[in-house]
Amino acid sequence: MRFETSVFVNCPFDDAYRPLLRPILFLIIDIGMTPRIALESLNSGAPRIGKIVELIKASRYAIHDLSRIQAVAADEYYRMNMPFELGLDLGCALFGGRRWSTKKCLILERERYRFQAAISDMSNSDIASHGDDPFRALGEVRNWLTTEERLKALPASAIWSRFEDFTATNCDQLEARGFTPAEIAALPIPELVAEMTEWESRHPPPNAGRPSP
């Protein structure tokens, strides 16, 4: 996997975030890049922090979703994994030297300035908000990556339509193989990414690529 086209996705892994994660992963694949995420490997014998560090080092781009850092119930702890991994990524870019100095990241939030109450050091940073809307999340990631990579990509609405086509086809295929709706909804990330990649190989987006100089 190439460093220049790898995208590290730092986000919650709970069921409630799945509706946002799925289109983000699809979008990354659809524009010809490679999503990298901690759940791509399920080796319980490997410490997760080591795996995350390697993914960060292997990815020029990173998406950090901080929309779940706030506690929502009494006695619930703040969820600090996402800002911690953002810090690792920024540190890699600042202190890693060589190719890591070219790293770029996108910070996502539910509301544009809400995260500053928790991480004031990031004040005045450019972030994108998705309002917990999967289509908005896809659009924000699409606009950022196509700008940074200078890609000719379909508009967000067309990519969303392709994502819906993939979802419908994939559900039919998995059901034919005996998967239940609950099993399809909880399909492990490595299998999901493989299914998306295989579908993309048979349905490449039109007019994709980089613009002429």
Side-chain angles (χ1 to χ4, degrees), residues 123-153:
S123 295
N124 300 320
S125 298
D126 291 329
I127 71 162
S129 59
H130 54 57
D132 279 339
D133 182 318
F135 176 73
R136 279 179 60 185
L138 179 148
E140 293 290 357
V141 176
R142 179 254 177 224
N143 292 345
W144 174 65
L145 282 174
T146 55
T147 299
E148 295 294 342
E149 276 283 287
R150 297 186 67 246
L151 297 173
K152 291 192 300 182

PDB file of all heavy atoms in Angstrom, residues 123-153:
ATOM      1  N   SER A 123      -7.560  25.659  18.675  1.00  0.00           N
ATOM      2  CA  SER A 123      -8.337  26.824  18.254  1.00  0.00           C
ATOM      3  C   SER A 123      -7.748  27.410  16.972  1.00  0.00           C
ATOM      4  O   SER A 123      -6.534  27.409  16.769  1.00  0.00           O
ATOM      5  CB  SER A 123      -8.338  27.885  19.350  1.00  0.00           C
ATOM      6  OG  SER A 123      -9.008  27.405  20.503  1.00  0.00           O
ATOM      7  N   ASN A 124      -8.644  27.909  16.113  1.00  0.00           N
ATOM      8  CA  ASN A 124      -8.288  28.502  14.819  1.00  0.00           C
ATOM      9  C   ASN A 124      -7.859  27.466  13.787  1.00  0.00           C
ATOM     10  O   ASN A 124      -7.436  27.832  12.693  1.00  0.00           O
ATOM     11  CB  ASN A 124      -7.189  29.554  14.968  1.00  0.00           C
ATOM     12  CG  ASN A 124      -7.606  30.699  15.872  1.00  0.00           C
ATOM     13  OD1 ASN A 124      -8.749  31.145  15.815  1.00  0.00           O
ATOM     14  ND2 ASN A 124      -6.701  31.161  16.715  1.00  0.00           N
ATOM     15  N   SER A 125      -7.953  26.170  14.126  1.00  0.00           N
ATOM     16  CA  SER A 125      -7.685  25.135  13.125  1.00  0.00           C
ATOM     17  C   SER A 125      -8.895  24.995  12.206  1.00  0.00           C
ATOM     18  O   SER A 125     -10.045  25.144  12.629  1.00  0.00           O
ATOM     19  CB  SER A 125      -7.406  23.792  13.811  1.00  0.00           C
ATOM     20  OG  SER A 125      -6.253  23.872  14.621  1.00  0.00           O
ATOM     21  N   ASP A 126      -8.636  24.710  10.947  1.00  0.00           N
ATOM     22  CA  ASP A 126      -9.731  24.477  10.005  1.00  0.00           C
ATOM     23  C   ASP A 126     -10.290  23.081  10.222  1.00  0.00           C
ATOM     24  O   ASP A 126      -9.552  22.094  10.160  1.00  0.00           O
ATOM     25  CB  ASP A 126      -9.223  24.596   8.565  1.00  0.00           C
ATOM     26  CG  ASP A 126      -8.847  26.019   8.204  1.00  0.00           C
ATOM     27  OD1 ASP A 126      -9.469  26.941   8.751  1.00  0.00           O
ATOM     28  OD2 ASP A 126      -7.942  26.204   7.373  1.00  0.00           O
ATOM     29  N   ILE A 127     -11.574  22.997  10.498  1.00  0.00           N
ATOM     30  CA  ILE A 127     -12.214  21.701  10.647  1.00  0.00           C
ATOM     31  C   ILE A 127     -13.473  21.671   9.798  1.00  0.00           C
ATOM     32  O   ILE A 127     -13.913  22.698   9.280  1.00  0.00           O
ATOM     33  CB  ILE A 127     -12.570  21.387  12.119  1.00  0.00           C
ATOM     34  CG1 ILE A 127     -13.733  22.272  12.590  1.00  0.00           C
ATOM     35  CG2 ILE A 127     -11.370  21.550  13.016  1.00  0.00           C
ATOM     36  CD1 ILE A 127     -14.409  21.741  13.821  1.00  0.00           C
ATOM     37  N   ALA A 128     -14.057  20.490   9.656  1.00  0.00           N
ATOM     38  CA  ALA A 128     -15.297  20.323   8.909  1.00  0.00           C
ATOM     39  C   ALA A 128     -16.336  19.699   9.826  1.00  0.00           C
ATOM     40  O   ALA A 128     -15.997  18.858  10.665  1.00  0.00           O
ATOM     41  CB  ALA A 128     -15.065  19.438   7.683  1.00  0.00           C
ATOM     42  N   SER A 129     -17.573  20.104   9.683  1.00  0.00           N
ATOM     43  CA  SER A 129     -18.640  19.554  10.519  1.00  0.00           C
ATOM     44  C   SER A 129     -19.599  18.738   9.659  1.00  0.00           C
ATOM     45  O   SER A 129     -19.857  19.069   8.506  1.00  0.00           O
ATOM     46  CB  SER A 129     -19.409  20.677  11.223  1.00  0.00           C
ATOM     47  OG  SER A 129     -19.976  21.576  10.289  1.00  0.00           O
ATOM     48  N   HIS A 130     -20.086  17.642  10.234  1.00  0.00           N
ATOM     49  CA  HIS A 130     -21.000  16.774   9.480  1.00  0.00           C
ATOM     50  C   HIS A 130     -22.390  16.666  10.097  1.00  0.00           C
ATOM     51  O   HIS A 130     -23.296  16.080   9.495  1.00  0.00           O
ATOM     52  CB  HIS A 130     -20.414  15.380   9.299  1.00  0.00           C
ATOM     53  CG  HIS A 130     -19.979  14.707  10.567  1.00  0.00           C
ATOM     54  ND1 HIS A 130     -20.816  14.483  11.639  1.00  0.00           N
ATOM     55  CD2 HIS A 130     -18.773  14.191  10.934  1.00  0.00           C
ATOM     56  CE1 HIS A 130     -20.167  13.861  12.596  1.00  0.00           C
ATOM     57  NE2 HIS A 130     -18.909  13.679  12.205  1.00  0.00           N
ATOM     58  N   GLY A 131     -22.581  17.201  11.299  1.00  0.00           N
ATOM     59  CA  GLY A 131     -23.905  17.163  11.899  1.00  0.00           C
ATOM     60  C   GLY A 131     -24.485  15.778  12.068  1.00  0.00           C
ATOM     61  O   GLY A 131     -25.706  15.606  12.109  1.00  0.00           O
ATOM     62  N   ASP A 132     -23.617  14.762  12.140  1.00  0.00           N
ATOM     63  CA  ASP A 132     -24.055  13.361  12.216  1.00  0.00           C
ATOM     64  C   ASP A 132     -24.843  12.924  10.979  1.00  0.00           C
ATOM     65  O   ASP A 132     -25.616  11.965  11.032  1.00  0.00           O
ATOM     66  CB  ASP A 132     -24.890  13.101  13.482  1.00  0.00           C
ATOM     67  CG  ASP A 132     -24.030  12.880  14.706  1.00  0.00           C
ATOM     68  OD1 ASP A 132     -22.840  12.530  14.545  1.00  0.00           O
ATOM     69  OD2 ASP A 132     -24.526  13.064  15.827  1.00  0.00           O
ATOM     70  N   ASP A 133     -24.629  13.612   9.880  1.00  0.00           N
ATOM     71  CA  ASP A 133     -25.309  13.286   8.623  1.00  0.00           C
ATOM     72  C   ASP A 133     -24.321  12.544   7.728  1.00  0.00           C
ATOM     73  O   ASP A 133     -23.290  13.108   7.334  1.00  0.00           O
ATOM     74  CB  ASP A 133     -25.768  14.581   7.944  1.00  0.00           C
ATOM     75  CG  ASP A 133     -26.535  14.332   6.653  1.00  0.00           C
ATOM     76  OD1 ASP A 133     -26.128  13.452   5.866  1.00  0.00           O
ATOM     77  OD2 ASP A 133     -27.537  15.019   6.417  1.00  0.00           O
ATOM     78  N   PRO A 134     -24.595  11.293   7.365  1.00  0.00           N
ATOM     79  CA  PRO A 134     -23.652  10.516   6.546  1.00  0.00           C
ATOM     80  C   PRO A 134     -23.328  11.166   5.208  1.00  0.00           C
ATOM     81  O   PRO A 134     -22.179  11.126   4.755  1.00  0.00           O
ATOM     82  CB  PRO A 134     -24.368   9.172   6.359  1.00  0.00           C
ATOM     83  CG  PRO A 134     -25.251   9.055   7.556  1.00  0.00           C
ATOM     84  CD  PRO A 134     -25.728  10.449   7.828  1.00  0.00           C
ATOM     85  N   PHE A 135     -24.340  11.765   4.559  1.00  0.00           N
ATOM     86  CA  PHE A 135     -24.078  12.410   3.268  1.00  0.00           C
ATOM     87  C   PHE A 135     -23.157  13.610   3.429  1.00  0.00           C
ATOM     88  O   PHE A 135     -22.238  13.822   2.625  1.00  0.00           O
ATOM     89  CB  PHE A 135     -25.385  12.841   2.609  1.00  0.00           C
ATOM     90  CG  PHE A 135     -25.194  13.598   1.325  1.00  0.00           C
ATOM     91  CD1 PHE A 135     -24.791  12.943   0.179  1.00  0.00           C
ATOM     92  CD2 PHE A 135     -25.398  14.975   1.267  1.00  0.00           C
ATOM     93  CE1 PHE A 135     -24.589  13.638  -1.015  1.00  0.00           C
ATOM     94  CE2 PHE A 135     -25.207  15.681   0.087  1.00  0.00           C
ATOM     95  CZ  PHE A 135     -24.806  15.010  -1.058  1.00  0.00           C
ATOM     96  N   ARG A 136     -23.363  14.407   4.469  1.00  0.00           N
ATOM     97  CA  ARG A 136     -22.470  15.542   4.720  1.00  0.00           C
ATOM     98  C   ARG A 136     -21.054  15.064   5.019  1.00  0.00           C
ATOM     99  O   ARG A 136     -20.071  15.674   4.574  1.00  0.00           O
ATOM    100  CB  ARG A 136     -22.995  16.383   5.876  1.00  0.00           C
ATOM    101  CG  ARG A 136     -24.093  17.347   5.508  1.00  0.00           C
ATOM    102  CD  ARG A 136     -24.576  18.131   6.714  1.00  0.00           C
ATOM    103  NE  ARG A 136     -23.513  18.920   7.349  1.00  0.00           N
ATOM    104  CZ  ARG A 136     -23.688  19.609   8.464  1.00  0.00           C
ATOM    105  NH1 ARG A 136     -24.873  19.603   9.081  1.00  0.00           N
ATOM    106  NH2 ARG A 136     -22.690  20.304   8.981  1.00  0.00           N
ATOM    107  N   ALA A 137     -20.932  13.982   5.782  1.00  0.00           N
ATOM    108  CA  ALA A 137     -19.601  13.439   6.090  1.00  0.00           C
ATOM    109  C   ALA A 137     -18.889  13.025   4.808  1.00  0.00           C
ATOM    110  O   ALA A 137     -17.704  13.340   4.605  1.00  0.00           O
ATOM    111  CB  ALA A 137     -19.724  12.264   7.052  1.00  0.00           C
ATOM    112  N   LEU A 138     -19.593  12.305   3.940  1.00  0.00           N
ATOM    113  CA  LEU A 138     -19.011  11.901   2.663  1.00  0.00           C
ATOM    114  C   LEU A 138     -18.572  13.126   1.862  1.00  0.00           C
ATOM    115  O   LEU A 138     -17.475  13.164   1.299  1.00  0.00           O
ATOM    116  CB  LEU A 138     -20.018  11.068   1.874  1.00  0.00           C
ATOM    117  CG  LEU A 138     -19.595  10.570   0.482  1.00  0.00           C
ATOM    118  CD1 LEU A 138     -20.251   9.229   0.174  1.00  0.00           C
ATOM    119  CD2 LEU A 138     -19.961  11.566  -0.627  1.00  0.00           C
ATOM    120  N   GLY A 139     -19.421  14.153   1.817  1.00  0.00           N
ATOM    121  CA  GLY A 139     -19.110  15.347   1.047  1.00  0.00           C
ATOM    122  C   GLY A 139     -17.900  16.093   1.574  1.00  0.00           C
ATOM    123  O   GLY A 139     -17.065  16.566   0.796  1.00  0.00           O
ATOM    124  N   GLU A 140     -17.790  16.203   2.898  1.00  0.00           N
ATOM    125  CA  GLU A 140     -16.645  16.916   3.476  1.00  0.00           C
ATOM    126  C   GLU A 140     -15.338  16.179   3.173  1.00  0.00           C
ATOM    127  O   GLU A 140     -14.326  16.809   2.837  1.00  0.00           O
ATOM    128  CB  GLU A 140     -16.823  17.064   4.987  1.00  0.00           C
ATOM    129  CG  GLU A 140     -17.965  17.967   5.409  1.00  0.00           C
ATOM    130  CD  GLU A 140     -17.703  19.441   5.122  1.00  0.00           C
ATOM    131  OE1 GLU A 140     -16.605  19.783   4.640  1.00  0.00           O
ATOM    132  OE2 GLU A 140     -18.613  20.255   5.376  1.00  0.00           O
ATOM    133  N   VAL A 141     -15.353  14.863   3.306  1.00  0.00           N
ATOM    134  CA  VAL A 141     -14.139  14.091   3.024  1.00  0.00           C
ATOM    135  C   VAL A 141     -13.808  14.146   1.540  1.00  0.00           C
ATOM    136  O   VAL A 141     -12.638  14.299   1.154  1.00  0.00           O
ATOM    137  CB  VAL A 141     -14.293  12.639   3.504  1.00  0.00           C
ATOM    138  CG1 VAL A 141     -13.075  11.815   3.114  1.00  0.00           C
ATOM    139  CG2 VAL A 141     -14.488  12.599   5.021  1.00  0.00           C
ATOM    140  N   ARG A 142     -14.829  14.049   0.704  1.00  0.00           N
ATOM    141  CA  ARG A 142     -14.615  14.131  -0.744  1.00  0.00           C
ATOM    142  C   ARG A 142     -13.973  15.460  -1.137  1.00  0.00           C
ATOM    143  O   ARG A 142     -12.985  15.496  -1.882  1.00  0.00           O
ATOM    144  CB  ARG A 142     -15.955  13.957  -1.453  1.00  0.00           C
ATOM    145  CG  ARG A 142     -15.866  14.045  -2.992  1.00  0.00           C
ATOM    146  CD  ARG A 142     -16.434  15.362  -3.488  1.00  0.00           C
ATOM    147  NE  ARG A 142     -16.288  15.467  -4.932  1.00  0.00           N
ATOM    148  CZ  ARG A 142     -15.883  16.551  -5.560  1.00  0.00           C
ATOM    149  NH1 ARG A 142     -15.574  17.646  -4.887  1.00  0.00           N
ATOM    150  NH2 ARG A 142     -15.775  16.565  -6.877  1.00  0.00           N
ATOM    151  N   ASN A 143     -14.509  16.563  -0.624  1.00  0.00           N
ATOM    152  CA  ASN A 143     -13.989  17.876  -0.998  1.00  0.00           C
ATOM    153  C   ASN A 143     -12.544  18.063  -0.525  1.00  0.00           C
ATOM    154  O   ASN A 143     -11.721  18.637  -1.236  1.00  0.00           O
ATOM    155  CB  ASN A 143     -14.877  18.974  -0.421  1.00  0.00           C
ATOM    156  CG  ASN A 143     -16.244  19.000  -1.080  1.00  0.00           C
ATOM    157  OD1 ASN A 143     -16.456  18.409  -2.135  1.00  0.00           O
ATOM    158  ND2 ASN A 143     -17.194  19.675  -0.446  1.00  0.00           N
ATOM    159  N   TRP A 144     -12.248  17.562   0.676  1.00  0.00           N
ATOM    160  CA  TRP A 144     -10.890  17.707   1.208  1.00  0.00           C
ATOM    161  C   TRP A 144      -9.881  16.886   0.407  1.00  0.00           C
ATOM    162  O   TRP A 144      -8.847  17.404  -0.039  1.00  0.00           O
ATOM    163  CB  TRP A 144     -10.868  17.292   2.672  1.00  0.00           C
ATOM    164  CG  TRP A 144      -9.504  17.271   3.273  1.00  0.00           C
ATOM    165  CD1 TRP A 144      -8.676  18.339   3.481  1.00  0.00           C
ATOM    166  CD2 TRP A 144      -8.792  16.118   3.737  1.00  0.00           C
ATOM    167  NE1 TRP A 144      -7.488  17.922   4.054  1.00  0.00           N
ATOM    168  CE2 TRP A 144      -7.535  16.561   4.225  1.00  0.00           C
ATOM    169  CE3 TRP A 144      -9.092  14.764   3.806  1.00  0.00           C
ATOM    170  CZ2 TRP A 144      -6.591  15.686   4.760  1.00  0.00           C
ATOM    171  CZ3 TRP A 144      -8.156  13.897   4.331  1.00  0.00           C
ATOM    172  CH2 TRP A 144      -6.918  14.354   4.801  1.00  0.00           C
ATOM    173  N   LEU A 145     -10.173  15.612   0.190  1.00  0.00           N
ATOM    174  CA  LEU A 145      -9.221  14.744  -0.497  1.00  0.00           C
ATOM    175  C   LEU A 145      -9.036  15.140  -1.960  1.00  0.00           C
ATOM    176  O   LEU A 145      -7.914  15.112  -2.476  1.00  0.00           O
ATOM    177  CB  LEU A 145      -9.666  13.285  -0.406  1.00  0.00           C
ATOM    178  CG  LEU A 145      -9.402  12.584   0.929  1.00  0.00           C
ATOM    179  CD1 LEU A 145     -10.030  11.203   0.937  1.00  0.00           C
ATOM    180  CD2 LEU A 145      -7.898  12.488   1.213  1.00  0.00           C
ATOM    181  N   THR A 146     -10.107  15.505  -2.635  1.00  0.00           N
ATOM    182  CA  THR A 146      -9.962  15.881  -4.039  1.00  0.00           C
ATOM    183  C   THR A 146      -9.176  17.185  -4.175  1.00  0.00           C
ATOM    184  O   THR A 146      -8.427  17.362  -5.145  1.00  0.00           O
ATOM    185  CB  THR A 146     -11.322  16.017  -4.733  1.00  0.00           C
ATOM    186  OG1 THR A 146     -12.145  16.942  -4.008  1.00  0.00           O
ATOM    187  CG2 THR A 146     -12.019  14.680  -4.839  1.00  0.00           C
ATOM    188  N   THR A 147      -9.326  18.086  -3.203  1.00  0.00           N
ATOM    189  CA  THR A 147      -8.547  19.322  -3.234  1.00  0.00           C
ATOM    190  C   THR A 147      -7.069  19.043  -2.970  1.00  0.00           C
ATOM    191  O   THR A 147      -6.187  19.524  -3.702  1.00  0.00           O
ATOM    192  CB  THR A 147      -9.080  20.320  -2.192  1.00  0.00           C
ATOM    193  OG1 THR A 147     -10.435  20.651  -2.500  1.00  0.00           O
ATOM    194  CG2 THR A 147      -8.241  21.599  -2.172  1.00  0.00           C
ATOM    195  N   GLU A 148      -6.786  18.256  -1.931  1.00  0.00           N
ATOM    196  CA  GLU A 148      -5.401  17.972  -1.570  1.00  0.00           C
ATOM    197  C   GLU A 148      -4.696  17.130  -2.629  1.00  0.00           C
ATOM    198  O   GLU A 148      -3.512  17.335  -2.911  1.00  0.00           O
ATOM    199  CB  GLU A 148      -5.339  17.259  -0.216  1.00  0.00           C
ATOM    200  CG  GLU A 148      -5.817  18.086   0.964  1.00  0.00           C
ATOM    201  CD  GLU A 148      -4.917  19.280   1.247  1.00  0.00           C
ATOM    202  OE1 GLU A 148      -3.764  19.294   0.774  1.00  0.00           O
ATOM    203  OE2 GLU A 148      -5.374  20.205   1.937  1.00  0.00           O
ATOM    204  N   GLU A 149      -5.410  16.193  -3.226  1.00  0.00           N
ATOM    205  CA  GLU A 149      -4.810  15.290  -4.214  1.00  0.00           C
ATOM    206  C   GLU A 149      -4.982  15.770  -5.650  1.00  0.00           C
ATOM    207  O   GLU A 149      -4.492  15.137  -6.574  1.00  0.00           O
ATOM    208  CB  GLU A 149      -5.421  13.889  -4.090  1.00  0.00           C
ATOM    209  CG  GLU A 149      -4.796  13.016  -3.036  1.00  0.00           C
ATOM    210  CD  GLU A 149      -3.456  12.444  -3.490  1.00  0.00           C
ATOM    211  OE1 GLU A 149      -3.431  11.545  -4.334  1.00  0.00           O
ATOM    212  OE2 GLU A 149      -2.437  12.926  -2.989  1.00  0.00           O
ATOM    213  N   ARG A 150      -5.703  16.878  -5.844  1.00  0.00           N
ATOM    214  CA  ARG A 150      -5.976  17.408  -7.172  1.00  0.00           C
ATOM    215  C   ARG A 150      -6.593  16.333  -8.072  1.00  0.00           C
ATOM    216  O   ARG A 150      -6.120  16.054  -9.170  1.00  0.00           O
ATOM    217  CB  ARG A 150      -4.711  17.994  -7.809  1.00  0.00           C
ATOM    218  CG  ARG A 150      -4.141  19.179  -7.063  1.00  0.00           C
ATOM    219  CD  ARG A 150      -2.974  19.824  -7.799  1.00  0.00           C
ATOM    220  NE  ARG A 150      -3.417  20.444  -9.035  1.00  0.00           N
ATOM    221  CZ  ARG A 150      -3.071  20.040 -10.262  1.00  0.00           C
ATOM    222  NH1 ARG A 150      -2.261  18.990 -10.403  1.00  0.00           N
ATOM    223  NH2 ARG A 150      -3.516  20.656 -11.327  1.00  0.00           N
ATOM    224  N   LEU A 151      -7.685  15.758  -7.588  1.00  0.00           N
ATOM    225  CA  LEU A 151      -8.351  14.687  -8.308  1.00  0.00           C
ATOM    226  C   LEU A 151      -9.557  15.206  -9.077  1.00  0.00           C
ATOM    227  O   LEU A 151     -10.212  16.164  -8.661  1.00  0.00           O
ATOM    228  CB  LEU A 151      -8.834  13.618  -7.321  1.00  0.00           C
ATOM    229  CG  LEU A 151      -7.763  12.876  -6.521  1.00  0.00           C
ATOM    230  CD1 LEU A 151      -8.431  11.985  -5.484  1.00  0.00           C
ATOM    231  CD2 LEU A 151      -6.882  12.053  -7.438  1.00  0.00           C
ATOM    232  N   LYS A 152      -9.842  14.544 -10.191  1.00  0.00           N
ATOM    233  CA  LYS A 152     -11.108  14.754 -10.887  1.00  0.00           C
ATOM    234  C   LYS A 152     -12.072  13.692 -10.370  1.00  0.00           C
ATOM    235  O   LYS A 152     -12.012  12.534 -10.783  1.00  0.00           O
ATOM    236  CB  LYS A 152     -10.920  14.615 -12.397  1.00  0.00           C
ATOM    237  CG  LYS A 152     -10.107  15.717 -13.046  1.00  0.00           C
ATOM    238  CD  LYS A 152     -10.203  15.664 -14.565  1.00  0.00           C
ATOM    239  CE  LYS A 152      -9.690  14.345 -15.122  1.00  0.00           C
ATOM    240  NZ  LYS A 152      -9.732  14.304 -16.608  1.00  0.00           N
ATOM    241  N   ALA A 153     -12.943  14.094  -9.473  1.00  0.00           N
ATOM    242  CA  ALA A 153     -13.854  13.133  -8.861  1.00  0.00           C
ATOM    243  C   ALA A 153     -15.295  13.511  -9.167  1.00  0.00           C
ATOM    244  O   ALA A 153     -15.605  14.667  -9.481  1.00  0.00           O
ATOM    245  CB  ALA A 153     -13.632  13.088  -7.349  1.00  0.00           C
TER     246      ALA A 153
END
